[in-house]
Amino acid sequence: MPRLFDDVAECVESTLARVGPHIVLALPLGVGKPNPLANEFYRRARRDPCITLKIFTALSLRAPAWHGELERRFVQPLALRLFGNDVPLDYVRDLHADCVPENVEIVEFFLDPGALLQVPHSQRHYLCANYTHVARTVAEQGVNVIAQLVAKRMFEGRAEFSLGSNPDVTVDLLDMLAPQRRQGRDVVVIGEVNRQMPFMFGPAAAAAASFDFIVEHPRYDYDLFAPPNQPVGTLDYAIGMYGARLIRDGGTLQLGIGELGDAVTYGLQLRQQQNGEFCDILRTLKAGERFGACLDAVGGDGAFETGLYACTEMFIDGFLDLYRSGVLRRQVYDDARIQRLLNEGAIGERIDEPFLAALRNAGFGSPLDAEEFAQLMRCGVFRRDCRYSNGRIENAEGASAAARLDSSAARGELLAHCAARQLSGGTLLHGAFLVGPRGFYAALRDLPESERRRFRMGGVAFVNQLEGPDQALKIAQRRHARFINTTMMATLLGAAVSDGLADGQVVSGVGGQYNSVAMAHSLPEARSILALRSTREKHGSVTSNIVWNYGNTTIPRHLRDVVVSEYGVAD
């Protein structure tokens, strides 16, 4: 069991005693940072120049700052209402004041968009890497402390923990470091409990043994950082309508944060709940007249009958809206053979004699072996009270049946004694991290556990790429995938500029955009959709976001696919 602390100072002292004065600290992006703990590490380094501190993280958020008394009187009450008692990060304050001490290095692979353009330390130490490569890079840099905000619950008298909002890099990093830790390398893993953090399931649910130290005290139950949704303008709504028209019923959806993602969410809800109005708006935009061939080939305009499944690095609040409105309802299962049968329409989720016969035709053994039985149990094919022994399956009442699928009589016995009525354990959304307004966190906490389990949070290596031992499963689950991301500029030849400027300054970062685009090209029937506003306005001057060429490229020309602006769709 992990050692328990009720004070971050004592935890940091014990960490220094174990790993020494040279700290390479990995913190999650966004709201998963344990801010009080991170602040204590930073304060120690500020006070003691013999300590070196290198922080690997991303998306270090801060509430709006004010300058002068008049601004304070206006901004402070607004910030308190929006962000509550969220604990600010000391190193973020010093980054903006350009006073980070020389013995501290802050390395981020994704920056708060646009907020650090004039911050020299951040620009010099930015890590340019695909999201899926971050864990590898951090491991190579000698990380010796991993700290994370966690959720906690008591279950059957024992404490259980969840990585909550941010299993994204942590899950992959712990897997990568496990062999080194078994060989004796000291890497301290710290969880800071916060009761505002939703307890998320999937790989995010971490065993207590994953942690060396746990910090827990009510004073650390501060409000999670909750950026409010920005207003969605008319141009964004037009982009959202086109985006919603490019989605295929029965398919897979990925969305990012921001107004354009919110606009696509709205368009999908309108398509589902007020389909006549959705089609009327598209007719007004002359979408069919101008882009009909592309729209019909890629997407659809009818209400969703099968619904969508989400596979998205970022779980935004819009996905809960799509769940409530009946758009997000296609469940996927953790067996490629079962998933392919569902995709083909050979089976439904109801378990009957043809269902069991289809399993046999899909390659399941007859008799089933113990591993196949366990896999089918995870998918809910058999009753939860069943167990496997020597080629037979027995229920809690003692009735049993041969674990055979090769005859109608054998399948009948299984249905009578062992089979469940329908599949269970399906997933509506696979995500890697979440962030959103305060109501989003509350809604997740309030979801019944049976529903929350259908939103599985895990490592970004699972969500953002196909490679790995479960590649066949990913391909089966991610049918008709549509990866919708935002870009700042597009060139006429098809390249996209999303992360930085021509002079080398970093606006935000590559993040997972390249991963999503590459995956769209690798998956059958998938499409990459990059959305942008056609112009931007600054100091009263309007500039085009569609240019001939540009001195920085995030997505190269040869990976171009579909680009959407308020004026329409380019395929």
Side-chain angles (χ1 to χ4, degrees), residues 12 26 43 71-73 129 209 222 282 288 364 417 438 561-562:
V12 170
R43 288 165 188 160
E71 277 192 26
R72 185 197 67 77
R73 291 167 64 184
Y222 58 89
L282 287 169
F364 282 91
H417 302 301
R438 197 181 301 183
D561 194 359
V562 178

Side-chain angles (χ1 to χ4, degrees), residues 86 111 152 233 268 280 287 330 385 387 397 399 415 442 513:
D86 174 64
L111 308 181
K152 177 186 174 183
L268 289 168
D280 285 345
R330 181 173 81 88
D385 63 350
R387 64 185 185 88
E397 291 83 35
L415 287 169
Q513 186 169 109

Side-chain angles (χ1 to χ4, degrees), residues 130-466:
N130 287 329
Y131 202 172
T132 50
H133 297 163
V134 170
R136 179 189 68 193
T137 302
V138 172
E140 290 171 348
Q141 291 293 316
V143 62
N144 56 12
V145 182
I146 301 170
Q148 171 112 19
L149 208 63
V150 299
K152 177 186 174 183
R153 71 170 190 169
M154 298 303 296
F155 181 74
E156 295 181 349
R158 68 179 186 274
E160 293 187 341
F161 299 93
S162 168
L163 300 176
S165 63
N166 282 88
D168 48 336
V169 173
T170 305
V171 166
D172 299 336
L173 184 57
L174 289 175
D175 283 346
M176 205 168 288
L177 293 174
Q180 298 178 31
R181 297 180 76 193
R182 285 194 294 268
Q183 292 170 11
R185 180 164 177 259
D186 209 350
V187 178
V188 178
V189 181
I190 309 172
E192 182 185 303
V193 175
N194 185 310
R195 285 170 179 78
Q196 302 294 320
M197 178 64 72
F199 195 104
M200 304 305 293
F201 294 94
S210 304
F211 301 94
D212 297 285
F213 300 155
I214 290 288
V215 179
E216 182 177 11
H217 192 278
R219 67 178 174 274
Y220 300 130
D221 292 332
Y222 58 89
D223 292 322
L224 304 180
F225 192 92
N229 289 334
Q230 298 298 310
V232 179
T234 304
L235 304 186
D236 302 330
Y237 278 121
I239 294 169
M241 295 297 293
Y242 286 120
R245 179 66 172 81
L246 291 165
I247 307 303
R248 180 74 60 87
D249 188 20
T252 302
L253 179 63
Q254 180 256 329
L255 280 175
I257 196 171
E259 302 93 309
L260 296 184
D262 292 342
V264 173
T265 299
Y266 176 79
L268 289 168
Q269 290 179 282
L270 193 67
R271 174 176 162 181
Q272 174 74 357
Q273 298 174 319
Q274 301 178 57
N275 189 257
E277 186 168 350
F278 175 79
C279 294
D280 285 345
I281 293 171
L282 287 169
R283 275 192 290 271
T284 302
L285 292 170
K286 298 182 179 179
E289 178 183 327
R290 296 188 294 155
F291 316 109
C294 171
L295 296 175
D296 291 339
V298 176
D301 60 4
F304 293 91
E305 297 180 5
T306 303
L308 302 178
Y309 148 72
C311 182
T312 179
E313 67 175 49
M314 187 170 188
F315 180 7
I316 59 172
D317 59 322
F319 283 110
L320 276 188
D321 295 330
L322 295 177
Y323 171 61
R324 296 186 187 106
S325 60
V327 175
L328 190 68
R329 68 171 184 268
R330 181 173 81 88
Q331 297 189 101
V332 300
Y333 295 88
D334 287 341
D335 185 272
R337 290 166 292 183
I338 288 177
Q339 190 61 53
R340 282 193 288 264
L341 290 171
L342 288 166
N343 294 349
E344 296 161 2
I347 60 171
E349 294 186 333
R350 180 172 175 268
I351 298 168
D352 50 19
E353 200 273 339
F355 182 103
L356 296 180
L359 293 185
R360 174 59 177 158
N361 294 334
F364 282 91
S366 187
L368 298 168
D369 61 29
E371 185 178 339
E372 289 176 317
F373 169 77
Q375 181 68 6
L376 292 174
M377 281 288 287
R378 285 192 288 271
C379 294
V381 174
F382 295 116
R383 289 167 38 178
R384 293 182 183 274
D385 63 350
C386 287
R387 64 185 185 88
Y388 178 92
S389 179
N390 297 322
R392 294 189 69 81
I393 302 173
E394 182 179 330
N395 65 26
E397 291 83 35
S400 69
R404 304 194 67 86
L405 302 170
D406 54 357
S407 75
S408 179
R411 295 191 291 267
E413 281 195 24
L414 286 173
L415 287 169
H417 302 301
C418 308
R421 294 191 175 185
Q422 68 175 44
L423 293 174
S424 61
T427 300
L428 289 170
L429 176 145
H430 281 109
F433 78 99
L434 60 87
V435 65
R438 197 181 301 183
F440 177 42
Y441 307 139
L444 288 173
R445 292 194 301 268
D446 293 342
L447 272 181
E449 183 178 316
S450 59
E451 293 184 54
R452 203 172 346 119
R453 283 184 177 275
R454 297 160 76 187
F455 297 85
R456 290 171 60 88
M457 300 295 290
V460 74
F462 178 84
V463 173
N464 270 28
Q465 64 185 13
L466 298 179

Side-chain angles (χ1 to χ4, degrees), residues 12 16 23 25 27 34-49 51-55 88-106 121:
V12 170
L16 289 168
I23 303 293
L25 172 64
L27 301 174
N35 292 6
L37 190 63
N39 285 345
E40 185 62 26
F41 275 108
Y42 183 67
R43 288 165 188 160
R44 293 292 182 101
R46 280 185 62 90
R47 291 198 304 263
D48 185 355
I51 294 175
T52 61
L53 175 62
K54 188 173 188 177
I55 298 176
L89 286 162
D90 290 351
Y91 73 78
V92 173
R93 176 202 62 210
D94 286 0
L95 279 171
H96 286 272
D98 196 21
C99 62
V100 175
E102 291 184 2
N103 59 325
V104 176
E105 187 177 345
I106 315 295
H121 187 101

